[in-house]
Amino acid sequence: MTSASDGRPASTKSQGPYAKKVTLFELFYDLVFVYVISRATELIHHLYEGVISPLALVTFTIVVIVFINSWMVQTVFHQSIW
């Protein structure tokens, strides 16, 4: 899909005066987020007689809440300094 006006793909066009490019830091941090979520799901992946153990569920919940909060704080901080 190309634009008729300049020949560039539509995805590379600027989205307005306030658009910014994604930095490598943001991409790396999102990759770390995906990795931590995948590791956290391993905590509840193993079922014992079809039931998730309460300890595994509590551990998973704490890990996910802590990491999502840290991800949100880092995202807000990163957006405010750029």
Side-chain angles (χ1 to χ4, degrees):
M1 181 169 108
T2 60
S3 170
S5 63
D6 60 3
R8 290 186 301 165
S11 62
T12 61
K13 287 186 174 183
S14 176
Q15 299 297 319
Y18 300 107
K20 71 175 199 76
K21 291 186 176 187
V22 176
T23 64
L24 288 178
F25 176 76
E26 291 172 304
L27 293 176
F28 176 74
Y29 204 73
D30 288 343
L31 184 63
V32 169
F33 176 73
V34 170
Y35 176 75
V36 169
I37 292 298
S38 70
R39 297 294 295 186
T41 56
E42 287 182 14
L43 296 171
I44 61 170
H45 178 72
H46 301 290
L47 299 177
Y48 299 101
E49 298 179 5
V51 178
I52 298 171
S53 72
L55 179 61
L57 186 60
V58 168
T59 305
F60 170 77
T61 303
I62 290 171
V63 166
V64 168
I65 288 172
V66 166
F67 192 74
I68 286 178
N69 282 331
S70 67
W71 180 72
M72 289 173 58
V73 167
Q74 182 63 30
T75 301
V76 170
F77 174 73
H78 183 72
Q79 293 296 326
S80 68
I81 63 172
W82 297 105

